[in-house]
Amino acid sequence: MSDGKLLHIEVMYGLPDEQRVFKAIVTPDTPVEEIISHSGILDAYPEIDLKKNKVGVFSRLVKLDATVHDGDRIEIYRPLVADPKEIRRRRAERMKAEGKSDPVTGGKVNPLRKGE
């Protein structure tokens, strides 16, 4: 223990239908990986693999050996099911094919624009 002060940390994992927050009290020099292990979240969600799942503190990615500050929330992220850029590209192509988007700009059809 570096200065005798304990930190109150939350460890969070969200699923589409539920989100759980685990609380942990640790020393200031405790790394993120150890906090996650001691929080009990890995027992509750055995599908979490810290070698695959990314981890962040308040939406900013951190390494497992990083340290945290009092009141921080460690978040364990699920892998993406689909690439958001690919989904937007497909949606734009579909809208263009259906005539619901401007063929020049790719945006919404401007009703005030004169037809050519």
Side-chain angles (χ1 to χ4, degrees), residues 7-111:
L7 306 179
H8 297 267
I9 307 296
E10 293 180 339
V11 180
M12 190 227 158
Y13 183 63
L15 295 170
D17 56 344
E18 77 172 304
Q19 297 172 353
R20 298 232 359 231
V21 176
F22 293 74
K23 298 188 184 272
I25 299 173
V26 299
T27 58
D29 58 344
T30 308
V32 168
E33 184 173 21
E34 194 173 322
I35 295 170
I36 292 170
S37 297
H38 290 304
S39 71
I41 200 164
L42 298 177
D43 296 329
Y45 298 99
E47 69 270 15
I48 296 174
D49 181 359
L50 294 179
K51 291 179 178 72
K52 293 181 183 175
N53 293 76
K54 292 184 179 185
V55 175
V57 174
F58 289 121
S59 301
R60 294 184 182 245
L61 292 179
V62 298
K63 294 185 178 185
L64 293 174
D65 61 353
T67 57
V68 293
H69 301 95
D70 192 37
D72 279 354
R73 180 184 64 222
I74 298 171
E75 302 160 341
I76 303 170
Y77 305 117
R78 293 177 291 121
L80 292 176
V81 176
D83 180 18
K85 289 181 183 178
E86 180 65 21
I87 292 172
R88 284 192 296 272
R89 185 184 63 73
R90 286 183 189 165
R91 184 182 313 126
E93 289 174 357
R94 186 182 72 241
M95 297 293 276
K96 195 182 289 186
E98 293 173 359
K100 294 181 180 178
S101 68
D102 188 305
V104 176
T105 65
K108 290 184 179 178
V109 175
N110 184 351

